[in-house]
Every structure is written in structure tokens, then in C-alpha cells.
Amino acid sequence: QVRLQESGGGLVQPGGSLRLSCAAFGSTFSITSMAWYRQAPGKERETVATITNGGSTIYADSVKGRFTISRNNAQNTMYLQMDRLKLEDTAVYFCTARNEALDRDYWGLGTRVTVSS
């Protein structure tokens, strides 16, 4: 079992920056990849960025060049550096971890990011 806890959300002005953190607890050795998702009000949940154990990354087109996903495997923590934030980045951001062998995904409870002037 893996438990995930996000932090770092808040209110920021357009053009500003935030860094989200996701701490993983439990059977972290079983994690094969991690990702950030977000869900904006009235919209479906979408993938923001994914990072594998090897460090390979994939980004949604809407955040490429502005967001950076990273991991500190020694500390079982994942980050999302968000720069040049836009109004449309407002959403609840969720951290996920995948166990490929069990075909199982674990989710955090989310952290809210509000971009507003």
C-alpha cells in the first residue's frame, strides 16, 4: 500500500510560480512511475506530467515549457515546479503513483491551486 500527501498549493497571481510536493509513504519500492493530474471546476481530470523511475518525463501540451516535474527517490518525494502560471491553471492538483506489476494506481487527496489577480 502506498499513501500520498500533496502540499504547496495556494493562491498566486498570473505569471507567478508555485512548487507542489508529493510525499510517498508505505511500500514505495513498488512504485514504477508517478504523475500529477489536475481537475479544474466543471472540467474532467487531466494528466499534467508524468515521471518514471528512470527519470523520463512527459508533459501535457498546455504546460510544456512552464512546468517541471521531478523526483527525489531517496526522499520518496515528487515535485511540480509551476512557472508563468495562467488563470487556466486553476485546479485541484493530485499526485498519483503507479504499481505496474499490480496494475494499481494510488492517489493523494489533492492540493488546490488558484491563479487569480
Side-chain angles (χ1 to χ4, degrees):
Q1 190 75 8
V2 174
R3 184 170 66 87
L4 304 170
Q5 183 168 359
E6 303 97 335
S7 61
L11 174 64
V12 63
Q13 292 186 338
S17 298
L18 278 177
R19 188 173 86 150
L20 305 183
S21 299
C22 171
F25 304 92
S27 302
T28 56
F29 61 87
S30 67
I31 295 173
T32 49
S33 63
M34 298 185 74
W36 288 97
Y37 284 72
R38 68 185 180 186
Q39 187 162 20
K43 295 188 177 181
E44 293 188 356
R45 192 173 293 180
E46 63 174 347
T47 309
V48 176
T50 302
I51 186 166
T52 67
N53 282 356
S56 297
T57 58
I58 300 173
Y59 294 92
D61 287 343
S62 58
V63 306
K64 276 181 186 176
R66 300 188 299 120
F67 290 10
T68 304
I69 189 172
S70 61
R71 283 174 70 175
N72 183 326
N73 290 328
Q75 295 183 350
N76 295 316
T77 304
M78 177 176 66
Y79 303 96
L80 185 68
Q81 177 65 40
M82 305 186 294
D83 298 317
R84 303 198 306 277
L85 282 160
K86 302 177 180 180
L87 296 175
E88 54 263 40
D89 294 319
T90 295
V92 177
Y93 285 71
F94 298 90
C95 164
T96 71
R98 178 154 183 82
N99 182 325
E100 199 67 45
L102 296 179
D103 191 23
R104 175 178 251 179
D105 294 298
Y106 302 94
W107 289 77
L109 296 180
T111 185
R112 185 175 299 276
V113 172
T114 303
V115 184
S116 174
S117 54

